[in-house]
Amino acid sequence: MITVTVYSTGLGCVRCTLTCRCLTAASIPFTVIDLTDNSNAAHREFVTDELGYTEAPVVLVDDDPQHHWSGFRPDLIDRLAARLLEQGSDR
């Protein structure tokens, strides 16, 4: 099963909100980590220092440092949904 993590800057971020709505509409389960919460400082460092992003949302698939993106990317969400459908049909 694919795991998806959305690193967000909160409800005020339109791109973060749209990304979460798109993932929900595509029936892709995900976890949201709010980077504005001080208790998530280690996650914020990971996103900025290790992945190199300065804009939210950042979407990480399968905890794979090679499979991630930043910003609202409905095209990549569609690809991910198609991948999930393929995996489901392989069972």
Side-chain angles (χ1 to χ4, degrees):
M1 183 58 146
I2 293 174
T3 60
V4 177
T5 305
V6 177
Y7 296 95
S8 170
T9 54
L11 296 174
C13 174
V14 173
R15 290 174 297 173
C16 297
T17 302
L18 288 171
T19 295
C20 291
R21 282 185 191 164
C22 233
L23 288 166
T24 299
S27 299
I28 299 172
F30 62 96
T31 302
V32 176
I33 296 177
D34 185 350
L35 297 176
T36 64
D37 185 335
N38 287 334
S39 66
N40 292 325
H43 292 285
R44 190 169 42 251
E45 285 181 30
F46 169 71
V47 167
T48 57
D49 295 347
E50 290 186 43
L51 297 180
Y53 291 113
T54 58
E55 294 182 9
V58 172
V59 179
L60 178 64
V61 180
D62 288 338
D63 293 329
D64 179 357
Q66 302 304 313
H67 194 178
H68 52 82
W69 68 83
S70 176
F72 177 53
R73 296 291 309 269
D75 59 322
L76 296 178
I77 293 170
D78 288 345
R79 280 192 219 161
L80 186 57
R83 182 174 150 199
L84 279 172
L85 280 175
E86 282 179 17
Q87 286 181 353
S89 67
D90 290 342
R91 293 180 193 194

